[in-house]
Amino acid sequence: MNCPCGHPLPYEKCCAPFHDGTDLPATAEALMRSRYSAYALKKIDYIFETTDPQTRSGIDRAANEAWAREAEFLGLEVIASRDEGNKGFVEFKATYRTGGETRVHHEKSRFRRQQGRWYFRDGTAKS
Ligand SMILES: [Zn+2]
């Protein structure tokens, strides 16, 4: 199967090594894509592990998991991304289906690299 993150690559050659811990995403965009494919594959532990330890406590893990299990993830479009040293920025649109409705989530996310690992820091939804 093609990777759910939108790269035209098989999952095994794309986000799988990040999900199973054998490799680390080199850029904020790669991390963001791997988080999206983790949602698509319901690998919720990965979402939690790649959230900045400084902001992780603010996540309602149970609610996040329930939402992700119910939703169907239809596609990801990365609009812009850049890394500046240990900070990363990604703007994306994620399409998903929940409760019988298709929705597009447009977000600008911020990322932070710590000891060689990228983490999702926070995001601002755009309408
Ligand atoms: Zn991927």
Side-chain angles (χ1 to χ4, degrees), residues 12-81:
E12 292 71 26
K13 292 193 158 103
C14 190
C15 292
F18 306 143
H19 292 166
D20 66 21
T22 54
D23 202 0
L24 289 174
T27 62
E29 180 180 333
L31 176 74
M32 193 269 137
R33 286 183 181 276
S34 71
R35 284 169 55 90
Y36 177 85
S37 57
Y39 268 120
L41 299 167
K42 322 292 187 200
K43 293 180 182 289
I44 307 303
D45 285 347
Y46 184 80
I47 304 294
F48 197 70
E49 286 159 11
T50 56
T51 299
D52 193 324
Q54 290 176 2
T55 53
R56 202 180 277 171
S57 61
I59 296 181
D60 184 337
R61 186 176 171 146
N64 218 319
E65 183 155 1
W67 174 81
R69 291 205 181 282
E70 200 276 323
E72 184 186 352
F73 296 84
L74 303 174
L76 173 68
E77 179 193 353
V78 173
I79 295 164
S81 69

